[in-house]
Amino acid sequence: YYEAGCRYYVHKNWQKSKENFLKDIEATDRGDSYYFVGEIEKNNGNLDTAAEYFEKAVERKMTPKYRNLAYWNLIVIYESKADFPKTIKTCKYFYEVLGEASAKTKAENLINKLMWTENEDAKKEYEEGLNLKSKDYTAALQHFRQAIALDSSFLSPVFEIGMYYYTQNQYRDALSYFNQILYRIPFYGELQMLAGDIYFQEKRYSEAATAFEAALEYAFIDKDMKYGVLLKTATSYYNIGQYTKAETFLEQAISVKKGNLSPYLLLSAIQMQKNDYDGALHTLQAAYKIDSNNPEILYQLGLVYYNKNDNTAYQYFEKVYMQYRQKQKEIPPKYIKAFIVTAQYYYTTKQYSKVVELTTIVPENLRDESLSLNYARSLYMLAQYNEAIVHFNKFRLQDDDLLMLCRCYAFINDTTKAKEIVSNNYYNTNFINKVKEDKLLKPIYKEVQKQRETPVTVQPQPLEEQKDLPTTHESTTEPVHPQ
């Protein structure tokens, strides 16, 4: 059927040709046959039907020559129907997927045509502005504004004014001009990207996401730029709480540049917020393969395992700590809590040297009471009694810690301080019972007990011989000083 259709087509027997191509479509679903039916419908003036066949043709396997012709036909038909969004999207696909550079030029020409004017006076003012732009921008702006006054639909001078404000970092003024263009040409992808960047800088994330999505749909951008726009789109949706949309764009960003960590980290953060710890673990493990020493990846892996009640968490938190110890860098505050729970784990598992090592990297003003006490207890367990005493004495201690402090003094032979603690807590039954059972402290307790049970005898003091007051000081409120 296909060969017969081609023969009839060459001889311009459109009816017979179409019949055979349709039979071939029914039999083989061949892309080239759809293309030829589209050409026949176009020749017959049926542009809508022709477009349908060209669209179906490019969705199927085709001869490259006919595929290119099908795309050009679609571009011409969409433009003739003033369906400019479809025209631009088709040019974009033709350029990005099939490498047809002229398709990009076609889209640029269409945008320029839509921004142009037929008003000769307005064109003259615009051209004057362009000539002055590099010499006197203030004068150029006057000509651009005059061009707009002569034809309000003339968008090229609007763009020039917007770009001037953009280069001066006057972003809101720039945006007001860019939006005049985007209102009329929403499929101007490159300008949507520029507007999205402004919204993003101003933390207007909802508007940024909308602009970036339009840029992704219409802008002719390379791989690096596409990755950046995808990441900003995802970040915008993340910041307005639309996590599902954010995940979609993050996954696209990862597919564009697999070696970049940022989308993995944001994606795992979203998955953790949704309590999807298995999903977060899968994402972070992929990131870990890219960079196994990145502290943020290690930290988030620790968080995932921690939320899964898996002690593997502490291995990753320790790796974060090691990164900062080796590089002697300041620790971000968000990591401190992870270090605290890791120190608690090390203490409960009797890894006292690790508790001490971990605590020393945390600035004292960022340590909570739990970490500081575990530090003091670990110092005690490691027989660093003098250091332990310093840190125990910073707090009002419970009985077990008080016992450790008392033992510290006993170990360094400061029995005076040890007796003082026992004496001050003599009526604390729980504490005293612990002291009595302690071989090191029991003798000290007995000494304190003995002192308390021995009555205190007050020895009489000999009276000093009273001296007569000098007669010259018969009455005075001042003290008498010896002569």
Side-chain angles (χ1 to χ4, degrees):
Y1 294 118
Y2 178 75
E3 288 77 9
C6 288
R7 285 196 300 271
Y8 284 120
Y9 186 86
V10 170
H11 292 93
K12 297 184 180 181
N13 188 337
W14 308 131
Q15 184 62 36
K16 286 287 186 181
S17 178
K18 179 180 174 181
E19 288 175 6
N20 280 278
F21 283 131
L22 288 174
K23 287 177 181 178
D24 184 66
I25 287 170
E26 189 176 345
T28 67
D29 201 37
R30 193 193 311 263
D32 287 0
S33 291
Y34 280 100
Y35 162 74
F36 281 113
V37 174
E39 286 284 7
I40 292 166
E41 294 293 350
K42 183 185 74 172
N43 291 332
N44 290 333
N46 303 322
L47 295 184
D48 288 344
T49 306
E52 289 176 12
Y53 277 97
F54 289 136
E55 286 167 356
K56 289 175 181 177
V58 297
E59 291 171 358
R60 290 159 173 80
K61 188 176 180 180
M62 291 184 71
T63 303
K65 172 186 173 182
Y66 296 141
R67 179 179 295 279
N68 287 357
L69 290 171
Y71 273 112
W72 278 120
N73 274 306
L74 285 170
I75 290 167
V76 170
I77 291 171
Y78 293 148
E79 186 178 5
S80 70
K81 294 167 64 180
D83 191 343
F84 301 128
K86 267 192 173 181
T87 307
I88 297 296
K89 281 197 285 187
T90 305
C91 287
K92 175 180 166 66
Y93 185 88
F94 198 9
Y95 169 74
E96 291 182 349
V97 178
L98 300 175
E100 183 60 50
S102 57
K104 181 182 179 183
T105 304
K106 172 66 179 176
E108 290 169 347
N109 290 339
L110 175 58
I111 296 295
N112 290 334
K113 177 182 174 182
L114 294 171
M115 293 178 66
W116 199 241
T117 182
E118 295 303 318
N119 186 310
E120 293 300 326
D121 292 334
K123 282 194 276 188
K124 185 178 178 181
E125 291 290 341
Y126 174 68
E127 286 163 4
E128 284 288 338
L130 289 180
N131 291 332
L132 287 168
K133 192 167 73 167
S134 60
K135 305 169 189 174
D136 184 352
Y137 221 118
T138 302
L141 288 173
Q142 292 177 350
H143 286 286
F144 291 144
R145 290 193 173 98
Q146 184 58 31
I148 296 167
L150 290 167
D151 183 357
S152 60
S153 66
F154 190 13
L155 297 178
S156 293
V158 176
F159 177 81
E160 292 293 340
I161 297 171
M163 284 305 298
Y164 167 76
Y165 285 123
Y166 184 80
T167 58
Q168 299 300 306
N169 298 328
Q170 295 175 244
Y171 297 124
R172 292 189 180 182
D173 290 326
L175 198 56
S176 68
Y177 283 91
F178 293 157
N179 280 336
Q180 291 178 48
I181 300 170
L182 293 173
Y183 179 76
R184 299 182 193 175
I185 312 176
F187 43 87
Y188 189 173
E190 289 74 14
L191 193 57
Q192 289 282 15
M193 187 164 59
L194 201 55
D197 279 331
I198 295 173
Y199 287 130
F200 193 82
Q201 287 178 39
E202 295 192 343
K203 298 183 179 180
R204 295 164 63 178
Y205 294 117
S206 180
E207 293 152 297
T210 301
F212 285 138
E213 280 205 70
L216 289 167
E217 191 171 10
Y218 299 113
F220 290 74
I221 50 180
D222 61 23
K223 182 179 178 180
D224 289 340
M225 292 179 71
K226 183 177 181 179
Y227 168 79
V229 175
L230 285 166
L231 191 56
K232 286 178 182 176
T233 309
T235 304
S236 297
Y237 278 123
Y238 173 78
N239 281 309
I240 58 176
Q242 294 193 31
Y243 299 134
T244 301
K245 279 195 170 183
E247 285 181 275
T248 299
F249 286 100
L250 287 169
E251 286 163 359
Q252 289 180 38
I254 290 169
S255 69
V256 170
K257 293 185 80 172
K258 295 184 184 296
N260 285 40
L261 294 175
S262 296
Y264 289 98
L265 292 170
L266 185 54
L267 180 58
S268 66
I270 292 170
Q271 290 166 329
M272 279 192 277
Q273 284 193 353
K274 295 168 68 176
N275 296 326
D276 179 11
Y277 297 116
D278 290 334
L281 187 58
H282 180 266
T283 300
L284 289 167
Q285 285 172 338
Y288 185 79
K289 290 178 182 177
I290 298 169
D291 186 354
S292 60
N293 292 316
N294 184 285
E296 187 62 22
I297 294 171
L298 298 171
Y299 171 68
Q300 287 203 23
L301 277 166
L303 283 182
V304 171
Y305 281 114
Y306 184 77
N307 282 285
K308 288 166 71 72
N309 296 316
D310 188 329
N311 289 340
T312 307
Y314 306 112
Q315 296 175 22
Y316 285 102
F317 289 149
E318 183 182 0
K319 287 179 181 180
V320 176
Y321 151 69
M322 293 298 291
Q323 289 290 317
Y324 283 91
R325 191 191 71 169
Q326 290 168 2
K327 297 175 183 177
Q328 296 183 337
K329 291 171 64 178
E330 186 177 346
I331 304 169
K334 71 175 183 178
Y335 294 158
I336 299 299
K337 188 174 181 181
F339 293 163
I340 291 171
V341 298
T342 304
Q344 176 66 43
Y345 169 74
Y346 286 152
Y347 183 76
T348 56
T349 54
K350 300 181 179 181
Q351 300 180 64
Y352 304 120
S353 60
K354 284 191 173 184
V355 176
V356 172
E357 188 179 14
L358 186 60
T359 306
T360 52
I361 200 174
V362 180
E364 280 204 49
N365 63 316
L366 297 178
R367 300 176 194 174
D368 66 0
E369 185 174 334
S370 170
L371 179 60
S372 296
L373 282 173
N374 279 336
Y375 180 49
R377 294 163 187 155
S378 298
L379 289 167
Y380 164 80
M381 293 295 185
L382 295 170
Q384 297 179 36
Y385 302 120
N386 286 300
E387 274 291 303
I389 288 168
V390 171
H391 291 281
F392 274 131
N393 277 325
K394 293 177 181 179
F395 301 98
R396 184 179 180 86
L397 302 175
Q398 298 296 317
D399 293 343
D400 287 339
D401 291 325
L402 196 60
L403 188 72
M404 284 188 189
L405 176 59
C406 196
R407 285 176 62 84
C408 284
Y409 283 121
F411 277 124
I412 64 171
N413 297 316
D414 190 344
T415 54
T416 302
K417 283 288 188 182
K419 286 178 183 179
E420 184 182 313
I421 292 172
V422 173
S423 181
N424 289 341
N425 293 274
Y426 194 78
Y427 295 107
N428 179 344
T429 306
N430 184 56
F431 173 71
I432 293 299
N433 285 338
K434 292 176 185 289
V435 171
K436 289 178 183 179
E437 295 169 2
D438 190 287
K439 290 182 180 180
L440 180 65
L441 298 180
K442 189 173 182 180
I444 293 174
Y445 166 74
K446 287 184 176 181
E447 285 185 45
V448 172
Q449 185 184 43
K450 185 176 180 181
Q451 287 174 359
R452 283 178 166 269
E453 291 174 353
T454 302
V456 178
T457 304
V458 180
Q459 297 294 330
Q461 300 295 321
L463 294 173
E464 292 185 9
E465 184 180 344
Q466 188 172 356
K467 295 181 179 179
D468 292 333
L469 294 176
T471 55
T472 54
H473 297 280
E474 293 179 357
S475 71
T476 179
T477 58
E478 296 296 323
V480 178
H481 298 282
Q483 297 298 317

